[in-house]
Short mmCIF file of all heavy atoms in Angstrom, two decimals:
data_model
loop_
_atom_site.label_atom_id
_atom_site.label_comp_id
_atom_site.label_asym_id
_atom_site.label_seq_id
_atom_site.Cartn_x
_atom_site.Cartn_y
_atom_site.Cartn_z
N GLN A 1 92.51 224.78 168.64
CA GLN A 1 93.54 224.75 167.60
C GLN A 1 92.99 225.13 166.24
O GLN A 1 93.62 225.89 165.48
CB GLN A 1 94.18 223.36 167.57
CG GLN A 1 95.04 223.03 168.78
CD GLN A 1 95.57 221.62 168.76
OE1 GLN A 1 95.09 220.79 168.00
NE2 GLN A 1 96.54 221.34 169.61
N ARG A 2 91.79 224.62 165.97
CA ARG A 2 91.17 224.97 164.69
C ARG A 2 90.82 226.46 164.66
O ARG A 2 91.05 227.14 163.65
CB ARG A 2 89.90 224.14 164.48
CG ARG A 2 90.19 222.65 164.21
CD ARG A 2 88.94 221.93 163.73
NE ARG A 2 87.87 221.97 164.72
CZ ARG A 2 87.72 221.03 165.67
NH1 ARG A 2 88.57 220.01 165.73
NH2 ARG A 2 86.72 221.10 166.52
N GLU A 3 90.31 226.96 165.80
CA GLU A 3 89.99 228.38 165.87
C GLU A 3 91.24 229.23 165.76
O GLU A 3 91.25 230.31 165.18
CB GLU A 3 89.25 228.68 167.17
CG GLU A 3 87.87 228.07 167.25
CD GLU A 3 87.20 228.34 168.58
OE1 GLU A 3 87.90 228.86 169.48
OE2 GLU A 3 86.02 228.03 168.72
N PHE A 4 92.35 228.73 166.38
CA PHE A 4 93.59 229.47 166.33
C PHE A 4 94.09 229.60 164.89
O PHE A 4 94.55 230.67 164.48
CB PHE A 4 94.64 228.75 167.19
CG PHE A 4 96.01 229.36 167.08
CD1 PHE A 4 96.32 230.52 167.77
CD2 PHE A 4 96.97 228.79 166.28
CE1 PHE A 4 97.58 231.09 167.68
CE2 PHE A 4 98.23 229.35 166.16
CZ PHE A 4 98.55 230.51 166.86
N VAL A 5 94.03 228.51 164.13
CA VAL A 5 94.46 228.56 162.74
C VAL A 5 93.65 229.59 161.97
O VAL A 5 94.20 230.40 161.19
CB VAL A 5 94.36 227.16 162.10
CG1 VAL A 5 94.62 227.24 160.60
CG2 VAL A 5 95.33 226.20 162.76
N SER A 6 92.34 229.57 162.20
CA SER A 6 91.48 230.52 161.49
C SER A 6 91.78 231.95 161.91
O SER A 6 91.90 232.86 161.08
CB SER A 6 90.00 230.17 161.77
OG SER A 6 89.17 231.16 161.23
N MET A 7 91.94 232.16 163.28
CA MET A 7 92.22 233.50 163.78
C MET A 7 93.59 233.98 163.33
O MET A 7 93.77 235.13 162.91
CB MET A 7 92.16 233.50 165.31
CG MET A 7 92.51 234.84 165.95
SD MET A 7 91.30 236.12 165.57
CE MET A 7 89.89 235.49 166.46
N ALA A 8 94.59 233.07 163.38
CA ALA A 8 95.94 233.47 163.00
C ALA A 8 96.00 233.85 161.54
O ALA A 8 96.67 234.83 161.16
CB ALA A 8 96.92 232.34 163.32
N SER A 9 95.32 233.09 160.71
CA SER A 9 95.34 233.39 159.27
C SER A 9 94.75 234.77 159.00
O SER A 9 95.16 235.47 158.07
CB SER A 9 94.58 232.33 158.49
OG SER A 9 93.21 232.32 158.87
N HIS A 10 93.79 235.16 159.83
CA HIS A 10 93.15 236.47 159.64
C HIS A 10 94.02 237.58 160.25
O HIS A 10 94.26 238.60 159.60
CB HIS A 10 91.77 236.47 160.27
CG HIS A 10 91.12 237.82 160.31
ND1 HIS A 10 90.60 238.41 159.18
CD2 HIS A 10 90.95 238.70 161.32
CE1 HIS A 10 90.11 239.60 159.49
NE2 HIS A 10 90.32 239.80 160.78
N GLU A 11 94.49 237.37 161.50
CA GLU A 11 95.22 238.42 162.21
C GLU A 11 96.63 238.61 161.67
O GLU A 11 97.16 239.71 161.68
CB GLU A 11 95.29 238.08 163.71
CG GLU A 11 93.96 238.15 164.44
CD GLU A 11 93.44 239.58 164.49
OE1 GLU A 11 94.27 240.52 164.44
OE2 GLU A 11 92.20 239.76 164.55
N PHE A 12 97.26 237.51 161.21
CA PHE A 12 98.62 237.64 160.73
C PHE A 12 98.69 238.17 159.29
O PHE A 12 99.74 238.60 158.82
CB PHE A 12 99.34 236.28 160.76
CG PHE A 12 99.61 235.80 162.16
CD1 PHE A 12 100.06 234.51 162.37
CD2 PHE A 12 99.44 236.63 163.25
CE1 PHE A 12 100.31 234.05 163.64
CE2 PHE A 12 99.70 236.19 164.52
CZ PHE A 12 100.14 234.89 164.74
N ARG A 13 97.54 238.15 158.56
CA ARG A 13 97.56 238.54 157.15
C ARG A 13 97.97 240.02 156.98
O ARG A 13 98.78 240.36 156.11
CB ARG A 13 96.18 238.30 156.54
CG ARG A 13 96.14 238.56 155.03
CD ARG A 13 94.77 238.25 154.46
NE ARG A 13 94.46 236.83 154.56
CZ ARG A 13 93.44 236.35 155.26
NH1 ARG A 13 92.65 237.20 155.91
NH2 ARG A 13 93.21 235.06 155.33
N THR A 14 97.42 240.88 157.86
CA THR A 14 97.71 242.31 157.73
C THR A 14 99.18 242.64 157.99
O THR A 14 99.84 243.29 157.17
CB THR A 14 96.80 243.12 158.67
OG1 THR A 14 95.44 242.88 158.31
CG2 THR A 14 97.10 244.60 158.58
N PRO A 15 99.78 242.23 159.15
CA PRO A 15 101.20 242.57 159.35
C PRO A 15 102.10 241.91 158.33
O PRO A 15 103.12 242.50 157.93
CB PRO A 15 101.48 242.06 160.77
CG PRO A 15 100.38 241.12 161.08
CD PRO A 15 99.20 241.60 160.32
N LEU A 16 101.77 240.72 157.87
CA LEU A 16 102.58 240.07 156.85
C LEU A 16 102.52 240.86 155.54
O LEU A 16 103.52 241.00 154.83
CB LEU A 16 102.12 238.63 156.64
CG LEU A 16 102.52 237.63 157.75
CD1 LEU A 16 101.86 236.28 157.48
CD2 LEU A 16 104.03 237.47 157.80
N ALA A 17 101.33 241.35 155.21
CA ALA A 17 101.20 242.16 153.99
C ALA A 17 102.01 243.44 154.09
O ALA A 17 102.65 243.86 153.11
CB ALA A 17 99.72 242.48 153.75
N ILE A 18 102.01 244.07 155.27
CA ILE A 18 102.80 245.31 155.46
C ILE A 18 104.28 245.00 155.30
O ILE A 18 105.03 245.74 154.67
CB ILE A 18 102.50 245.90 156.85
CG1 ILE A 18 101.05 246.37 156.90
CG2 ILE A 18 103.45 247.05 157.16
CD1 ILE A 18 100.62 246.84 158.29
N ILE A 19 104.75 243.88 155.94
CA ILE A 19 106.15 243.51 155.83
C ILE A 19 106.53 243.26 154.37
O ILE A 19 107.55 243.74 153.87
CB ILE A 19 106.44 242.26 156.69
CG1 ILE A 19 106.30 242.61 158.17
CG2 ILE A 19 107.83 241.70 156.41
CD1 ILE A 19 106.38 241.39 159.09
N ALA A 20 105.69 242.48 153.69
CA ALA A 20 105.97 242.17 152.28
C ALA A 20 105.99 243.42 151.41
O ALA A 20 106.87 243.59 150.56
CB ALA A 20 104.95 241.16 151.76
N SER A 21 105.01 244.33 151.65
CA SER A 21 104.92 245.53 150.83
C SER A 21 106.13 246.42 151.01
O SER A 21 106.74 246.89 150.04
CB SER A 21 103.64 246.30 151.19
OG SER A 21 103.61 247.54 150.54
N ASN A 22 106.53 246.65 152.28
CA ASN A 22 107.68 247.51 152.54
C ASN A 22 108.97 246.87 152.05
O ASN A 22 109.88 247.55 151.55
CB ASN A 22 107.78 247.82 154.03
CG ASN A 22 106.80 248.87 154.48
OD1 ASN A 22 107.06 250.08 154.37
ND2 ASN A 22 105.63 248.42 154.98
N ALA A 23 109.07 245.56 152.20
CA ALA A 23 110.28 244.87 151.73
C ALA A 23 110.39 244.97 150.21
O ALA A 23 111.48 245.21 149.65
CB ALA A 23 110.27 243.41 152.18
N GLN A 24 109.26 244.82 149.51
CA GLN A 24 109.27 244.90 148.04
C GLN A 24 109.65 246.30 147.59
O GLN A 24 110.42 246.48 146.62
CB GLN A 24 107.90 244.50 147.48
CG GLN A 24 107.60 243.02 147.61
CD GLN A 24 106.18 242.71 147.20
OE1 GLN A 24 105.42 243.59 146.77
NE2 GLN A 24 105.80 241.44 147.37
N ARG A 25 109.11 247.35 148.24
CA ARG A 25 109.42 248.72 147.84
C ARG A 25 110.91 249.02 148.03
O ARG A 25 111.56 249.65 147.20
CB ARG A 25 108.57 249.70 148.62
CG ARG A 25 107.11 249.66 148.24
CD ARG A 25 106.31 250.66 149.05
NE ARG A 25 104.89 250.60 148.70
CZ ARG A 25 103.97 251.37 149.22
NH1 ARG A 25 104.33 252.29 150.15
NH2 ARG A 25 102.70 251.28 148.87
N LEU A 26 111.43 248.56 149.20
CA LEU A 26 112.85 248.77 149.45
C LEU A 26 113.69 248.05 148.38
O LEU A 26 114.69 248.58 147.89
CB LEU A 26 113.23 248.27 150.83
CG LEU A 26 112.82 249.18 152.03
CD1 LEU A 26 113.13 248.49 153.36
CD2 LEU A 26 113.57 250.51 151.95
N GLN A 27 113.27 246.80 148.09
CA GLN A 27 114.01 246.02 147.09
C GLN A 27 113.99 246.72 145.73
O GLN A 27 115.00 246.79 145.03
CB GLN A 27 113.41 244.61 147.00
CG GLN A 27 114.22 243.67 146.11
CD GLN A 27 115.61 243.42 146.67
OE1 GLN A 27 115.74 243.12 147.84
NE2 GLN A 27 116.64 243.56 145.82
N ARG A 28 112.80 247.25 145.32
CA ARG A 28 112.72 247.93 144.03
C ARG A 28 113.60 249.18 144.00
O ARG A 28 114.27 249.46 142.99
CB ARG A 28 111.26 248.29 143.72
CG ARG A 28 110.41 247.10 143.30
CD ARG A 28 109.13 247.58 142.62
NE ARG A 28 108.30 248.35 143.51
CZ ARG A 28 107.33 247.85 144.29
NH1 ARG A 28 107.11 246.53 144.28
NH2 ARG A 28 106.61 248.64 145.07
N ARG A 29 113.59 249.94 145.09
CA ARG A 29 114.41 251.14 145.14
C ARG A 29 115.89 250.80 145.07
O ARG A 29 116.68 251.46 144.38
CB ARG A 29 114.13 251.93 146.42
CG ARG A 29 112.71 252.52 146.49
CD ARG A 29 112.57 253.70 145.51
NE ARG A 29 113.39 254.80 145.90
CZ ARG A 29 113.02 255.77 146.75
NH1 ARG A 29 111.81 255.73 147.29
NH2 ARG A 29 113.84 256.77 147.02
N LEU A 30 116.26 249.71 145.79
CA LEU A 30 117.66 249.31 145.76
C LEU A 30 118.06 248.80 144.39
O LEU A 30 119.16 249.07 143.89
CB LEU A 30 117.91 248.23 146.84
CG LEU A 30 117.86 248.70 148.30
CD1 LEU A 30 117.94 247.51 149.25
CD2 LEU A 30 118.99 249.68 148.61
N ASP A 31 117.15 248.00 143.74
CA ASP A 31 117.43 247.49 142.40
C ASP A 31 117.57 248.61 141.39
O ASP A 31 118.47 248.62 140.52
CB ASP A 31 116.34 246.51 141.95
CG ASP A 31 116.34 245.23 142.77
OD1 ASP A 31 117.38 244.96 143.42
OD2 ASP A 31 115.33 244.50 142.75
N LYS A 32 116.68 249.61 141.50
CA LYS A 32 116.71 250.73 140.56
C LYS A 32 117.97 251.55 140.74
O LYS A 32 118.59 252.01 139.77
CB LYS A 32 115.46 251.57 140.77
CG LYS A 32 115.32 252.69 139.73
CD LYS A 32 113.99 253.42 139.92
CE LYS A 32 113.82 254.50 138.86
NZ LYS A 32 112.53 255.21 139.02
N ALA A 33 118.35 251.72 142.01
CA ALA A 33 119.57 252.50 142.29
C ALA A 33 120.81 251.77 141.78
O ALA A 33 121.80 252.37 141.36
CB ALA A 33 119.71 252.79 143.78
#
């Protein structure tokens, strides 16, 4: 469980960053429009 938390925090960071980045760009484009 401890290893899972450490692994998950590392492995989930990249896809979460991609989701956040794309969502923010879409939001900015929509706000600007």
Side-chain angles (χ1 to χ4, degrees):
Q1 290 175 345
R2 291 192 298 271
E3 292 177 352
F4 173 79
V5 172
S6 174
M7 177 66 68
S9 64
H10 172 75
E11 291 293 333
F12 290 170
R13 185 178 295 118
T14 299
L16 285 174
I18 294 173
I19 293 172
S21 173
N22 282 276
Q24 289 173 4
R25 290 181 181 181
L26 284 174
Q27 187 64 48
R28 285 197 298 269
R29 293 288 294 273
L30 290 173
D31 291 343
K32 186 175 182 180

